[in-house]
Amino acid sequence: MQYEVDKLGFYGKYGGAFIPELLHSNVEELEDNYLKIINSDSFQKEFRALLRDYVGRPSPLYFAKRLSEKYNTKIYLKREDLNHTGAHKINNTIGQILLAKRLGKTRIIAETGAGQHGVATATVCALMDLQCVVYMGEIDIARQAPNVSRMKMLGAEVRPAKSGSKTLKDATNEAIRDWINNPKDTYYLIGSVVGPHPYPDMVALFQSVISEEIKKQLKDKENRDYPDRIIACIGGGSNAAGAYYHYLDDEKVELVSVEAAGLGINSGESAATSVLGSDGVIHGSMTKLMQDKDGQIIEPYSISAGLDYPGIGPLHAHLIESGRSKVLNATDEEAIKAGLLLTRLEGIIPALESAHALAALEKIEFKPEEVTVVNLSGRGDKDMKAYLKNT
Ligand SMILES: *Cc1c(COP(=O)(O)O)cnc(C)c1O
């Protein structure tokens, strides 16, 4: 595969493991074991059973008739919003926790910005009876109170990160410090296709069930196992990686990634990393990120908490650089509008993240016979306030 990670953990010039010396043994343990464990029969059996009976997979591939009529083409929605906990993140969380158990770990740590990854982690820790500590910036704790309550109810300890800007990157620093101090019993669970190798590859593998299912479902519905185009939003890029995975080498499938433009690309309040970013190291890997001339991270902004991230995963940096994927972006306003449109045409309230992917429909010229799949990464219950405030 041209877009597969190489032995050193790189996608082209992006990726790798840029980590402090003190983390080498932790990351090495993971790198030496992850493929062996994931590919074993016993792992696959347990993973697949949980995806089916606990998450509710396969998620439907729904032909959106009225939305298709509006754009005069064929549009399918991959319904990750119907998963347990309401988004795609649970696919990865289950995979990594099963892996952690097989590595003999008894304690799970994670960082979370909006709290979605924290909730998915706390959920599976409750299921598996594992200790769970979630680091979260103090400001984010205040902003995302409902998710903090959910994590606590599920039995997780939410630890505030009080340094720096008191947001996601500070929570990440705290989680990494914890992992360094507790290398034996603790597993660090990353929520997107970011972080040092092997995390991006591992998370993409767990999310690849999305495109595995799309192939089968399209074969049934369209009598061919590929669409002409797949559209997904990217924060770190895990739902997109999962939706693209089995089509990466199939160049007849156009891959469209949608970034959050916030108040506008050049407004200073944006998260459009591929346009505004440059090459550098963030969260242990070489990728594209938003930074100033001194290499300080520029705080991103988007109305959608899940897209409010200053980097993108190294796989996406490579897909964009090589021209394999095409990047569009959507502002807060365009996303809100697209979310409301889907709600009224199809009776589906999408997560604001997913609404960015839907907003791209306005920017593409379709042929009537073309088949487009939009990955509907999550449901919009959590975003009601933002939707109502903007109508
Ligand atoms: C977290 C989240 C995202 C963004 O994360 P990716 O890793 O880019 O997929 C997108 N949609 C929803 C619903 C989310 O919760």
Side-chain angles (χ1 to χ4, degrees):
M1 247 169 83
Q2 196 185 344
Y3 300 102
E4 205 167 21
V5 77
D6 71 16
K7 282 216 159 50
L8 297 171
F10 282 87
Y11 303 89
K13 64 176 170 172
Y14 298 109
F18 297 82
I19 50 174
E21 188 64 37
L22 287 164
L23 273 184
H24 276 177
S25 59
N26 302 37
V27 172
E28 221 168 77
E29 180 188 26
L30 204 53
E31 197 185 335
D32 290 344
N33 292 292
Y34 81 109
L35 287 175
K36 210 165 37 199
I37 293 175
I38 293 170
N39 291 326
S40 71
D41 288 344
S42 81
F43 182 97
Q44 282 298 323
K45 208 170 152 212
E46 195 177 355
F47 183 49
R48 298 287 166 165
L50 284 170
L51 289 183
R52 187 185 64 226
D53 300 332
Y54 188 69
V55 177
R57 304 203 73 91
S59 67
L61 184 71
Y62 167 70
F63 177 64
K65 185 162 171 287
R66 294 187 66 205
L67 192 67
S68 297
E69 281 165 7
K70 166 155 172 73
Y71 292 104
N72 191 26
T73 188
K74 289 193 203 178
I75 300 171
Y76 285 88
L77 304 176
K78 181 59 173 161
R79 300 289 309 274
E80 294 299 298
D81 61 314
L82 294 177
N83 293 340
H84 179 45
T85 69
H88 66 291
K89 286 196 172 74
I90 191 100
N91 305 325
N92 167 54
T93 314
I94 290 181
Q96 286 197 55
I97 288 182
L98 291 182
L99 176 69
K101 281 204 340 185
R102 280 165 172 77
L103 290 170
K105 309 294 180 184
T106 55
R107 182 172 175 271
I108 304 292
I109 57 170
E111 76 260 342
T112 193
Q116 297 296 105
H117 173 56
V119 169
T121 303
T123 299
V124 186
C125 284
L127 176 70
M128 298 285 168
D129 193 23
L130 291 169
Q131 192 191 341
C132 179
V133 175
V134 179
Y135 289 92
M136 194 167 179
E138 208 167 37
I139 290 181
D140 290 333
I141 288 179
R143 281 196 293 208
Q144 310 288 343
N147 277 340
V148 175
S149 304
R150 270 180 210 121
M151 285 183 264
K152 288 184 176 163
M153 183 163 172
L154 288 159
E157 182 194 340
V158 180
R159 287 195 191 160
K162 300 179 178 182
S163 62
S165 55
K166 304 183 176 63
T167 58
L168 182 61
K169 72 173 163 32
D170 312 291
T172 304
N173 291 339
E174 298 280 334
I176 288 173
R177 201 166 304 142
D178 182 318
W179 204 27
I180 289 173
N181 290 328
N182 301 285
K184 270 220 150 54
D185 66 341
T186 296
Y187 182 89
Y188 177 32
L189 206 164
I190 296 183
S192 188
V193 285
V194 300
H197 177 67
Y199 282 99
D201 185 43
M202 184 164 67
V203 177
L205 263 176
F206 291 140
Q207 293 293 0
S208 71
V209 64
I210 298 173
S211 48
E212 185 185 309
E213 290 173 3
I214 293 173
K215 279 189 111 165
K216 286 197 199 118
Q217 291 166 322
L218 276 181
K219 183 75 191 158
D220 276 352
K221 292 175 197 294
E222 290 288 333
N223 203 26
R224 55 167 161 122
D225 68 359
Y226 63 93
D228 296 293
R229 177 184 300 105
I230 303 174
I231 306 176
C233 63
I234 34 177
S238 68
N239 85 87
Y244 299 166
Y245 195 88
H246 291 283
Y247 299 110
L248 285 172
D249 287 328
D250 189 348
E251 304 268 346
K252 63 184 176 300
V253 181
E254 184 180 46
L255 307 177
V256 179
S257 308
V258 187
E259 291 184 330
L263 301 183
I265 295 267
N266 296 313
S267 66
E269 300 288 332
S270 163
T273 307
S274 76
V275 185
L276 299 172
S278 52
D279 293 357
V281 171
I282 182 171
H283 206 160
S285 74
M286 171 63 69
T287 188
K288 286 184 191 293
L289 66 137
M290 297 185 1
Q291 56 188 335
D292 65 19
K293 61 180 189 327
D294 300 321
Q296 295 295 316
I297 289 167
I298 296 173
E299 283 285 326
Y301 164 79
S302 164
I303 192 170
S304 144
L307 303 183
D308 193 353
Y309 181 71
I312 47 171
L315 166 64
H316 291 289
H318 179 54
L319 291 176
I320 293 166
E321 186 95 347
S322 63
R324 178 67 188 93
S325 68
K326 173 173 149 184
V327 187
L328 297 177
N329 56 71
T331 62
D332 288 0
E333 204 182 318
E334 290 167 332
I336 293 270
K337 205 171 144 213
L340 294 171
L341 181 72
L342 186 74
T343 303
R344 291 301 170 89
L345 285 180
E346 300 287 349
I348 297 171
I349 302 175
L352 271 174
E353 292 83 1
S354 321
H356 284 73
L358 292 163
L361 295 171
E362 290 286 333
K363 308 179 181 199
I364 294 171
E365 276 187 42
F366 298 99
K367 298 196 183 91
E369 69 282 5
E370 274 178 353
V371 173
T372 294
V373 173
V374 179
N375 199 36
L376 208 70
S377 55
R379 66 175 178 231
D381 313 39
K382 66 183 178 59
D383 300 316
M384 291 316 299
K385 256 197 197 151
Y387 276 127
L388 293 177
K389 212 166 70 194
N390 289 280
T391 47

